[in-house]
Each structure stands twice: as structure tokens, then as C-alpha cells.
């Protein structure tokens, strides 16, 4: 579940990285049958320094994108290289194998049985076995110095996903605040975020059963009258179909209120599902640039296979031209009290 590689989203290099990549099998037996995935590429990885009741999900901590997939498998399962290559031991629980084309695969949560410099053969040479308590092997793929989604074209196979992502809710908040805005009187500068998640492509057993995973793509649009204003191109789509954004942009992709599956606040880890909140307006939405009136916001989430789900919500822009902020004086909408994460019903 830990992050291991710093990534850089460079469009031109990304196109090169995807070109000519060959599909590869699974790193655990049976090699040519799909296995459950309990964490997706791009999932949030959050470790908050403060307790939940101190600062909740708005405090400081370590925040990164999950840079691979977590393949569920029992402890002691033997892990094999998906492609032949040369071994490099990363740590006491991690092995990297680089093939002759420079493509690197990293395997985490293992007890290695190989050494640095050893040549290993795909599906034949054991790299090690899953350590006790891990319950999965983490697979990272690196193409041309870019960490790459192993579920993308040219990645792990066979892979099917017949589930649809869900956009559960959309939130309009005052800019740089968690203060919700009255949807019937939106004014001034606001942020828009979406609570969205995907369902595990195959059922996962154990403590991560039924937990959400990240969609591969989120897009959105704003409609007023007969026209559609495509704002996502200005604010940035959420796109994990290839590589990842820089970890420095974590809070430009995810919105505050986000926390990982099995969230960690201070010294406590909760055995509960995460919340995946995506920030759709990275630079905010200045509603004074729009005529007053009713608008329709459409948010669409897709997985790597193109399955999708959408949510449509309406809100009304009501700016006061005589106000320096655009907003009429009114009592603020109160924030709900902080609640600890709870174990989802089975």
C-alpha cells in the first residue's frame, strides 16, 4: 500500500510510453486467469498526523497516489516475474525486474528468494513469496521512466471489468473552504468536488472486501440554457488511464474530505472504507463570470475498460453586483460535526 516511485506526467513522453507495449500475464498462479484487485492505480494514500477529532481529514500528513495495483492472494503465495529480466533488490520486501527493452516491474510485500543481478525467467523463476499479513502483492509497472497503469492497454491480461463506477454526490463549497454553499444561491468563487468510486472488478475477500477503488477517468460539464460549457479542459480532468500526476498535485486532484481505505489518523487506523473526493475545479470557479440563472452540472466517471456512471445536479447562480464578493449577506450554512469512519455493513 506504500508509494515507491516519484512520477512526472509529461504528455509527449506518455504517448511514447504506451506505444508498442506488449501484454503480460499475472504474477501469481494461475497466470492466465484474472485475480481480484483490492486497490487501483491512482487510489489515494493518506496518512494524517493528527487524530480524526483534532483536524479530521483537513490536517497535515503524507499524501500520495497509489502507483500500481494490489493483487489479492493468500500469504505465502509464490510470486513470479511477468516478464524475463534482471533482478534488483529494492528492500527486504521488494524486488524489481527490468527486461531487455528497459521496461521495469516492481513487486512489493514479498520475502525475496532472488538476489541483485540474477537473471529470471517469466512465469518460471520464483521471485519470492507474499509475506505474512500482507494478503496481496503490489505490482508497479514503469515504462520509459514513467510509472504506468498495469490495467491499461498493453498491461496485465486477461482482465475484464463489468462493473460501473458510481458518482455518489457533488459538492459546491466556498473556495479554499469546506463550507458548503446553498445550491439555490451560489455566488462568488467556489469549488466543485465529486464523491466518486469504482467497484472492485472481482470480489475481494478479507478486510478489504467491498471497499471502493478509484475510477480511471472523471470528466464534467456545466450547462445553462441550450449551451454546454466545457470547463474540465480548463480545470483538468482526473485521468489515471496512463501515468500519474506528480505527488505534489495530490490536493489538486483529490479534494479535502478524501481518505484512503483503512484510513490512518494519528496513531489509529480504522477498519473502514475510504472516501474518494475529486476536485473538479483546481483553480476554483468564479461564478461572477456567468449570468445568474439555473445550471446543470454533469459528472461522469469511467473505468479503464470504458464502463461509466454519471450524476446530474442543478444549482442556481445568484450573484449580487453590488457586493464585493458577489454574495449577499446571509447566515452561513453550518458544517456537519466530524464523525469517525465506521465499518461498512457486510
Amino acid at each position: 500500500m506504500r508509494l515507491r516511485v516519484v512520477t512526472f506526467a509529461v504528455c509527449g513522453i506518455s504517448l511514447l510510453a504506451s506505444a508498442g507495449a506488449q501484454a503480460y500475464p499475472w504474477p501469481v498462479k494461475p497466470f492466465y486467469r484474472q485475480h481480484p484487485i483490492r486497490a487501483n492505480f491512482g487510489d489515494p494514500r493518506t496518512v494524517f498526523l493528527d487524530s480524526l477529532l483534532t483536524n479530521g481529514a483537513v490536517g497535515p500528513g503524507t499524501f500520495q497516489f497509489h502507483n500500481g495495483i494490489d493483487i489479492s492472494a493468500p500469504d505465502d503465495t509464490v510470486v513470479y516475474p511477468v516478464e524475463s529480466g534482471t533482478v534488483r533488490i529494492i528492500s527486504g520486501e521488494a524486488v524489481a525486474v527490468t527486461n531487455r527493452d528497459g521496461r521495469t516491474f516492481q513487486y512489493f510485500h514479498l520475502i525475496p528468494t532472488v538476489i541483485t543481478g540474477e537473471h529470471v525467467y517469466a512465469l518460471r523463476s520464483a521471485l519470492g513469496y507474499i509475506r505474512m499479513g500482507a494478503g496481496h502483492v503490489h505490482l508497479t509497472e514503469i515504462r520509459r521512466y514513467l510509472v504506468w497503469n498495469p490495467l491499461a492497454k498493453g498491461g496485465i491480461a486477461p482482465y475484464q471489468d463489468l462493473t460501473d463506477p458510481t458518482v455518489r454526490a457533488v459538492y459546491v463549497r466556498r473556495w479554499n473552504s469546506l463550507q458548503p454553499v446553498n445550491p439555490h444561491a451560489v455566488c462568488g468563487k467556489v469549488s466543485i468536488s465529486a464523491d466518486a468510486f469504482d467497484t472492485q472488478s472481482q470480489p475481494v475477500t478479507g478486510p478489504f472486501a467491498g471497499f471502493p477503488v478509484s475510477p480511471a477517468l472523471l470528466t464534467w460539464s456545466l450547462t445553462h440554457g441550450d449551451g454546454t460549457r466545457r470547463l474540465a479542459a480548463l480545470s483538468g480532468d482526473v485521468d489515471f488511464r496512463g501515468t500519474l500526476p506528480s505527488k505534489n498535485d495530490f490536493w489538486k486532484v483529490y479534494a479535502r474530505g478524501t481518505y484512503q481505505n483503512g484510513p490512518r489518523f494519528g496513531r489509529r487506523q480504522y477498519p473502514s472504507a475510504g472516501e474518494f473526493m475529486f476536485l473538479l475545479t483546481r483553480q476554483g470557479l468564479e461564478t461572477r463570470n456567468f449570468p445568474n440563472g439555473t445550471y446543470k452540472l454533469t459528472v461522469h466517471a469511467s473505468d479503464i475498460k470504458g464502463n461509466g456512471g454519471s450524476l446530474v445536479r442543478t444549482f442556481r447562480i445568484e450573484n449580487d453586483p453590488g457586493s464585493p464578493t458577489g454574495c449577499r449577506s446571509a447566515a452561513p450554512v453550518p458544517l456537519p460535526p466530524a464523525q469517525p469512519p465506521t465499518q461498512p455493513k457486510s
Side-chain angles (χ1 to χ4, degrees):
M1 291 174 60
R2 293 171 298 165
L3 272 292
R4 298 104 188 164
V5 181
V6 177
T7 64
F8 301 89
V10 183
C11 182
I13 299 177
S14 299
L15 293 175
L16 289 173
S18 62
Q22 299 297 314
Y24 49 84
W26 294 77
V28 293
K29 294 180 178 179
F31 303 125
Y32 294 100
R33 191 179 74 189
Q34 183 171 336
H35 295 263
I37 294 174
R38 77 180 206 181
N40 268 4
F41 189 75
D43 282 2
R45 288 293 180 262
T46 60
V47 178
F48 293 91
L49 295 179
D50 297 331
S51 70
L52 179 65
L53 299 181
T54 301
N55 279 313
V58 299
T62 302
F63 312 110
Q64 301 181 60
F65 301 98
H66 190 231
N67 66 356
I69 58 173
D70 286 349
I71 302 167
S72 289
D75 296 345
D76 291 326
T77 297
V78 178
V79 176
Y80 297 85
V82 297
E83 290 193 359
S84 302
T86 303
V87 169
R88 177 174 63 89
I89 298 297
I90 300 173
S91 71
E93 295 186 359
V95 174
V97 177
T98 301
N99 70 10
R100 61 183 181 182
D101 297 323
R103 197 176 185 187
T104 297
F105 298 90
Q106 298 176 341
Y107 308 82
F108 288 81
H109 311 302
L110 312 183
I111 302 300
T113 55
V114 290
I115 60 174
T116 294
E118 183 176 346
H119 186 83
V120 291
Y121 297 91
L123 313 185
R124 290 167 51 194
S125 306
L127 296 176
Y129 51 92
I130 296 176
R131 67 165 175 80
M132 292 299 295
H136 72 283
V137 57
H138 171 104
L139 176 67
T140 291
E141 178 186 349
I142 302 171
R143 303 184 189 180
R144 296 179 183 265
Y145 307 104
L146 290 174
V147 64
W148 204 259
N149 191 336
L151 302 180
K153 184 177 180 181
I156 204 164
Y159 178 73
Q160 274 193 321
D161 187 350
L162 302 179
T163 65
D164 292 328
T166 299
V167 182
R168 182 162 47 191
V170 174
Y171 299 95
V172 182
R173 296 167 170 167
R174 189 68 53 216
W175 177 243
N176 280 338
S177 168
L178 294 182
Q179 183 70 44
V181 174
N182 183 348
H184 303 294
V186 177
C187 58
K189 190 173 184 178
V190 299
S191 68
I192 300 175
S193 57
D195 177 350
F197 63 93
D198 198 6
T199 303
Q200 295 164 347
S201 55
Q202 286 190 351
V204 171
T205 59
F208 279 72
F211 281 5
V213 292
S214 175
L217 178 69
L218 262 78
T219 58
W220 63 286
S221 62
L222 196 60
T223 303
H224 177 52
D226 296 329
T228 298
R229 181 158 182 173
R230 181 76 166 89
L231 296 175
L234 298 177
S235 60
D237 291 335
V238 176
D239 193 347
F240 300 142
R241 294 173 298 175
T243 188
L244 289 174
S246 165
K247 68 177 183 179
N248 295 329
D249 288 337
F250 183 88
W251 290 121
K252 295 179 182 178
V253 174
Y254 284 104
R256 286 291 184 170
T258 292
Y259 51 85
Q260 68 179 24
N261 291 322
R264 298 182 184 184
F265 293 93
R267 297 182 178 181
R268 183 173 179 183
Q269 183 168 18
Y270 295 85
S272 58
E275 289 283 342
F276 298 179
M277 303 279 294
F278 294 92
L279 184 61
L280 303 181
T281 51
R282 298 184 188 180
Q283 298 177 351
L285 180 67
E286 179 51 78
T287 65
R288 286 174 290 182
N289 294 334
F290 300 86
N292 286 347
T294 300
Y295 289 78
K296 181 174 73 174
L297 176 69
T298 302
V299 181
H300 185 79
S302 304
D303 62 26
I304 199 72
K305 292 297 185 181
N307 304 304
S310 297
L311 183 67
V312 178
R313 287 290 182 263
T314 59
F315 63 88
R316 183 169 182 80
I317 292 179
E318 285 289 347
N319 279 300
D320 181 358
S323 167
T325 64
C327 299
R328 300 181 179 91
S329 298
V333 180
L335 280 169
Q339 296 292 331
T342 56
Q343 178 68 32
K345 295 180 180 179
S346 57

